[in-house]
Amino acid sequence: MAVSAGQDDLQGVERTVSRLLASHQMPLPATFSYEFLGMPFDVGVRRDPEGSVQLVVRGRLGNLPYSAESVDVRNLLNSVVDAGHSLPLAEISLDRKQAIVVQGAMTFPSVPSPATIAAGAAAITVAVKPVCELVVKCRAMTDQHTAWQQSA
């Protein structure tokens, strides 16, 4: 099968970009943030005293609603938080202000490339995706409950 000149050029660019991403090391410490399903996530990358590198991803999924807002949603979200202790790559908990927080970490033996850092953050995000989706649905339930109470 013949490869056109355009496809050959594109494959060359892809190979070059892949090599560049793999060859460049992340300057440490490093931080960045992103949003997933409207929820803020922060990433920190730092070197351990032993020389390895730790990637930590922390997301704030929202606040636990007050019982007056919706007892059912509060109970459901408490169950989600309790179940989140057995997630792969991450753990869910409540902070002192009743915010639902997810945190995951990975350790690398040496300084990883930016592509590896991005892949690690993505893997942790994918691990918590079902929980994030449940929180989004619970928020919608709270919004509907509040709207119903206001119309009554």
Side-chain angles (χ1 to χ4, degrees):
M1 182 169 134
V3 176
S4 72
Q7 285 177 322
D8 192 38
D9 289 344
L10 181 60
Q11 289 173 348
V13 169
E14 287 174 348
R15 280 193 301 274
T16 302
V17 169
S18 293
R19 274 186 269 145
L20 281 173
L21 286 173
S23 68
H24 287 74
Q25 291 185 340
M26 186 81 121
L28 299 179
T31 61
F32 64 94
S33 58
Y34 59 94
E35 277 195 15
F36 179 67
L37 296 176
M39 301 169 198
F41 283 76
D42 296 313
V43 179
V45 186
R46 69 181 196 300
R47 190 180 302 275
D48 287 347
E50 298 84 32
S52 59
V53 176
Q54 187 171 34
L55 163 74
V56 176
V57 177
R58 188 172 192 270
R60 190 171 185 282
L61 308 187
N63 291 324
L64 200 61
Y66 296 107
S67 295
E69 292 176 287
S70 176
V71 173
D72 293 336
V73 172
R74 184 177 177 88
N75 290 338
L76 179 60
L77 284 173
N78 269 320
S79 297
V80 168
V81 170
D82 289 342
H85 295 293
S86 61
L87 285 174
L89 301 178
E91 186 172 299
I92 297 175
S93 61
L94 291 174
D95 69 9
R96 286 179 277 135
K97 296 181 179 181
Q98 297 293 290
I100 304 167
V101 177
V102 62
Q103 184 167 318
M106 291 183 167
T107 302
F108 302 96
S110 61
V111 179
S113 70
T116 302
I117 294 296
I124 292 169
T125 305
V126 168
V128 300
K129 180 183 179 208
V131 173
C132 292
E133 290 172 336
L134 280 172
V135 170
V136 168
K137 288 179 182 178
C138 287
R139 279 189 197 157
M141 289 171 58
T142 302
D143 293 343
Q144 289 172 352
H145 185 283
T146 302
W148 177 79
Q149 280 184 324
Q150 290 173 349
S151 68

